[in-house]
Amino acid sequence: MKNNKDLTQRRARLTPEQQQRLKQRLQINSDRMHQKSTILRRHASESALVSYAQHRHWFLWQLDPQSTAYHLSGVLHLLGKLNAEALQVSFQALVARHESLRTVFRANAEGLPEQIIESEGKFELTMISLCDLPAEQRAQRARDEAMRINATPFDLTQGPLLRVALIQIATEEHHLVVVMHHIISDAWSNRIIIDEFAACYRAHIEGESLLLPELPIQYADYAQWQRNWLEAGEKDRQLIYWRNQLGAEHPVLQLPTDYARSSNSSYRAAQHDFTLPDSLATRLQCQAQDRGATLFMMLLAGFQALLHRYTGQGDIRVGVPIANRHRAEIENVVGLFVNTQVLRNTIDSR
């Protein structure tokens, strides 16, 4: 008690500037302690609440269970001899290794969504053969089948939330279609799945055993740690920070080329791809390096300047997806970690 009283008196004697510096140092130390806090494995008998990112997707799915807006899909074009058994075994190993790939969701007695991690059951691979069709029809039919598989809604309470289909076009030509709901995966996770699938498949056809490094945690462990961390005060600290950064008003850009906003969201958007000339890309890279910046920062600043030119508004905010994988434990874990970062730039006519 005496030590606490002494500290209080000493702090009271500090000038406002000294108190502010002390507060900043204490905050830095607090942040470091948060970063060093260990993500522990949860006991198998414990209920697994969803992460904040998963909670958003649970809410959106309940609003529109038939929506396919948050389906993650991809198609691999495979040429050459294919070992279907090795493919099946490889995906079975992935499902056993990553709990997210065998997770469904239910509401508990309090109405809060929970992760239900199912046992390592048998993985089901859908096989579709188009070899009986005329050759000129197979490519289009394969695209139609892939679109159908992706457009089939997921039931988050039933699962599985991972679909894999092998479409055979010819003896040595296949399309591998993989579809997941975003609530169990993200773009970074897709890369993990592809890399580990390739390693498992190669090991199986070569008759070798593959020993992937053991995962230190699973996604449900991270979700529990995240909730404990944020609810212990970190959430309030971050909320104060972002309110200070972004303010209370969030102006909508008035683009002269924009369309009237529809009352119904279709989740459909156009896409325009273009490639910068090599000479321009090189000059931009050099400019970024000279200023201690990245090429992404240069391109974002240019985009924000363009929006300023079109709108005449000086407060330009762009939402950018971030991987959100700043901890070593989660680097190789499949799950929904991605978040959207608001990057604000204040621009004047100069």
Side-chain angles (χ1 to χ4, degrees):
M1 292 297 292
K2 182 179 179 181
N3 290 338
N4 290 340
K5 185 176 180 179
D6 290 343
L7 287 173
T8 302
Q9 291 175 346
R10 291 171 60 188
R11 188 167 184 174
R13 289 195 294 268
L14 297 176
T15 66
E17 293 78 12
Q18 290 172 330
Q19 290 184 10
Q20 181 63 29
R21 288 199 296 270
L22 175 62
K23 181 180 179 181
Q24 291 174 351
R25 289 183 179 180
L26 291 174
Q27 188 61 64
I28 291 172
N29 291 335
S30 176
D31 292 344
R32 288 173 178 170
M33 288 301 295
H34 283 311
Q35 286 299 103
K36 292 179 180 179
S37 61
T38 304
I39 302 179
L40 301 176
R41 286 266 194 174
R42 46 177 285 279
H43 195 274
S45 62
E46 292 182 84
S47 60
L49 290 177
V50 298
S51 68
Y52 285 97
Q54 287 179 323
H55 205 151
R56 292 197 299 271
H57 280 282
W58 172 261
F59 173 79
L60 292 170
W61 177 76
Q62 288 186 308
L63 285 180
D64 187 4
Q66 299 303 308
S67 174
T68 61
Y70 293 102
H71 287 195
L72 300 179
S73 62
V75 180
L76 293 178
H77 189 196
L78 307 177
L79 297 175
K81 293 182 179 181
L82 181 71
N83 187 324
E85 179 188 0
L87 192 148
Q88 168 95 21
V89 170
S90 299
F91 270 100
Q92 178 66 57
L94 288 177
V95 172
R97 175 172 168 81
H98 297 281
E99 290 181 354
S100 292
L101 300 180
R102 46 189 168 90
T103 296
V104 295
F105 300 84
R106 311 272 169 81
N108 62 19
E110 289 77 33
L112 298 175
E114 291 183 345
Q115 301 184 64
I116 308 299
I117 302 167
E118 299 185 330
S119 59
E120 301 173 14
K122 184 178 180 180
F123 168 77
E124 294 185 7
L125 172 68
T126 301
M127 307 280 289
I128 301 173
S129 177
L130 305 179
C131 294
D132 292 339
L133 293 178
E136 63 274 11
Q137 297 180 15
R138 296 177 189 173
Q140 182 59 49
R141 180 64 179 276
R143 286 191 290 269
D144 293 343
E145 288 292 334
M147 292 179 63
R148 178 187 62 79
I149 295 167
N150 179 57
T152 303
F154 283 106
D155 183 347
L156 299 191
T157 65
Q158 299 298 321
L161 304 184
L162 164 69
R163 296 191 195 117
V164 182
L166 184 65
I167 303 175
Q168 184 177 15
I169 299 175
T171 302
E172 295 189 359
E173 183 179 6
H174 297 78
H175 284 178
L176 181 65
V177 183
V178 181
V179 184
M180 291 172 286
H181 195 282
H182 203 351
I183 199 170
I184 66 167
S185 187
D186 56 20
W188 184 299
S189 298
N190 293 348
R191 188 187 68 185
I192 295 172
I193 291 172
I194 292 173
D195 290 346
E196 292 189 355
F197 161 72
C200 290
Y201 182 83
R202 187 182 303 110
H204 188 83
I205 61 176
E206 293 177 356
E208 299 177 354
S209 58
L210 177 66
L211 295 177
L212 293 171
E214 183 180 356
L215 295 173
I217 63 167
Q218 292 285 344
Y219 185 81
D221 305 321
Y222 164 80
Q224 179 173 282
W225 170 86
Q226 181 196 53
R227 285 189 168 273
N228 292 338
W229 178 50
L230 291 176
E231 291 170 7
E234 180 65 13
K235 179 169 60 176
D236 294 334
R237 187 192 71 81
Q238 292 196 22
L239 185 58
I240 291 172
Y241 172 84
W242 285 111
R243 281 176 172 168
N244 290 335
Q245 291 294 317
L246 301 177
E249 297 183 1
H250 310 287
V252 176
L253 290 185
Q254 302 300 323
L255 288 166
T257 58
D258 204 357
Y259 292 94
R261 294 178 181 270
S262 172
S263 58
N264 298 320
S265 298
S266 65
Y267 294 101
R268 294 180 181 177
Q271 178 175 313
H272 176 66
D273 297 324
F274 63 95
T275 302
L276 295 178
D278 290 341
S279 59
L280 176 58
T282 300
R283 294 202 305 274
L284 284 172
Q285 186 72 61
C286 292
Q287 290 277 354
Q289 291 176 351
D290 290 343
R291 288 163 172 77
T294 65
L295 182 58
F296 166 78
M297 294 164 67
M298 293 284 290
L299 294 174
L300 176 63
F303 179 58
Q304 290 172 320
L306 176 67
L307 293 177
H308 168 69
R309 288 284 298 273
Y310 278 136
T311 64
Q313 296 169 250
D315 191 351
I316 307 297
R317 308 169 184 209
V318 176
V320 177
I322 59 172
N324 205 27
R325 297 201 184 226
H326 45 269
R327 296 186 63 97
E329 303 100 311
I330 61 178
E331 185 175 353
N332 295 312
V333 176
V334 170
L336 175 57
F337 296 94
V338 69
N339 201 354
T340 303
Q341 181 76 61
V342 179
L343 299 182
R344 181 188 188 188
N345 202 341
T346 303
I347 304 175
D348 60 31
S349 58
R350 295 175 298 167

